[in-house]
Amino acid sequence: IGGHVIMLGPGNKEAAEAALRAYPNCLQIGGGINDSNAKEWLETGASHVIVTSHVFKAGKVDFERLGQLVEIVGKSCLVLDLSCRKRPDQDEGPYYVVTDKWQKFTEFPLNQENLETLGSYCDEFLVHGVDVEGKQCGVLEDLVSLLGRCSPVPVTYAGGIRSVDDIARVKELGGGNVDFTVGSALDCFGGGLKYTDVVAWHKKENSHLE
């Protein structure tokens, strides 16, 4: 069991550093990560750095920047955040990666070819289903299914989880290939889902690995 810490805006660097010191080499860090500070965060105690906006330029992947980042931190310490949403006028269309606090659409759809391309640069993907994030309204089932079928590297889904049943649904739809993360639904953050219930489910489902 691990987690990620996302720095949303200024003024939270000290809190992020404290979290990494409390649980060293087990938490991933994101939010404003770039080639000038990524290595510093690994040295502070992060297991991985999470990056989105830095490797996208004018709606497309900047492979030069991405390559430079891999040289600095190594593929094994890089998580690419491919948080996504469908365009408002294309309900049946693909999911597109969104950047800059999820406000800007890129021209990069999530599909098998694109996931395989980016998978050669990173250790994991983190994918927030932006349209259900924080709403505790259930998961984006088509997105979870897509990730389970097409991701060539470990992938974590976030968004809409409100119960242990939703967690089990992620496992089912993802064919056991999709991990999950829970945020505001947890009781420690004011939600109704008990953290201890999530831990108990995880231990039960993974008892064969112990």
Side-chain angles (χ1 to χ4, degrees):
I1 296 176
H4 59 261
V5 177
I6 305 297
M7 297 178 287
L8 299 175
N12 48 30
K13 183 179 179 181
E14 290 184 359
E17 291 173 339
L20 297 180
R21 287 193 295 267
Y23 200 23
N25 302 313
C26 294
L27 295 173
Q28 302 171 354
I29 186 78
I33 304 297
N34 55 52
D35 55 3
S36 68
N37 61 20
K39 189 173 182 179
E40 175 187 346
W41 282 109
L42 293 177
E43 292 171 346
T44 302
S47 66
H48 296 70
V49 290
I50 305 171
V51 179
T52 307
S53 300
H54 179 69
V55 298
F56 280 87
K57 183 178 181 180
K60 298 180 180 179
V61 178
D62 187 329
F63 284 99
E64 182 177 355
R65 276 189 172 185
L66 180 55
Q68 291 172 346
L69 195 58
V70 173
E71 288 184 9
I72 292 170
V73 303
K75 178 179 184 292
S76 63
C77 292
L78 179 61
V79 176
L80 290 179
D81 183 343
L82 303 181
S83 296
C84 59
R85 63 196 314 179
K86 291 184 177 180
R87 295 186 184 278
D89 57 344
Q90 298 179 9
D91 290 342
E92 301 302 320
Y95 286 93
Y96 287 89
V97 173
V98 287
T99 64
D100 299 285
K101 300 180 180 179
W102 302 338
Q103 299 304 305
K104 292 184 179 179
F105 277 94
T106 68
E107 299 300 322
F108 194 84
L110 287 193
N111 55 41
Q112 185 166 355
E113 179 181 2
N114 284 341
L115 289 172
E116 289 181 352
T117 297
L118 290 187
S120 65
Y121 289 88
C122 67
D123 196 44
E124 302 179 23
F125 294 135
L126 171 64
V127 181
H128 287 79
V130 172
D131 286 328
V132 296
E133 177 63 31
K135 296 181 180 179
Q136 301 178 39
C137 59
V139 303
L140 292 174
E141 296 194 349
D142 56 342
L143 178 55
V144 175
S145 296
L146 170 68
L147 297 175
R149 293 193 314 271
C150 299
S151 181
V153 296
V155 56
T156 298
Y157 168 84
I161 293 176
R162 62 202 162 178
S163 66
V164 171
D165 287 343
D166 285 336
I167 293 171
R169 187 65 172 151
V170 170
K171 181 177 181 179
E172 177 186 0
L173 292 167
N177 299 321
V178 179
D179 294 323
F180 67 90
T181 187
V182 189
S184 59
L186 291 173
D187 57 350
C188 53
F189 298 132
L193 177 57
K194 293 183 178 180
Y195 176 75
T196 52
D197 288 347
V198 176
V199 173
W201 181 92
H202 183 272
K203 288 183 176 180
K204 179 182 178 181
E205 293 296 316
N206 294 279
S207 59
H208 61 289
L209 300 176
E210 297 179 354

